[in-house]
Amino acid sequence: MSANKQIECPSCALYSDREELVCPYCGYEFPELSTSRKWVAWLMAFLMIWPLSKLIDLLF
Ligand SMILES: [Zn+2]
């Protein structure tokens, strides 16, 4: 009933909040969530590089 927002830690088998990136009990980093975090990091990098490449186009 209320388990859909919880994630089971593969390291200590305890349930924690789905929004947690790291298990609050043992410190295990959930791979599924850290992958989405990497995507956000890539997106941020892209958004920073994109206007920079436009600036280079204007200069050359
Ligand atoms: Zn854990």
Side-chain angles (χ1 to χ4, degrees):
M1 241 194 276
S2 58
N4 57 334
K5 271 221 136 190
Q6 299 237 294
I7 186 166
E8 189 186 5
C9 175
S11 182
C12 65
L14 285 169
Y15 284 89
S16 60
D17 233 27
R18 200 84 169 80
E19 283 124 57
E20 299 271 358
L21 296 170
V22 178
C23 175
Y25 307 104
C26 69
Y28 177 86
E29 212 176 307
F30 301 121
E32 186 198 318
L33 294 165
S34 62
T35 306
S36 63
R37 221 163 85 195
K38 266 180 205 162
W39 266 105
V40 171
W42 270 106
L43 197 77
M44 292 285 278
F46 179 76
L47 286 170
M48 282 169 94
I49 287 161
W50 185 57
L52 209 83
S53 65
K54 273 199 144 190
L55 196 80
I56 287 162
D57 272 1
L58 283 168
L59 288 168
F60 298 103

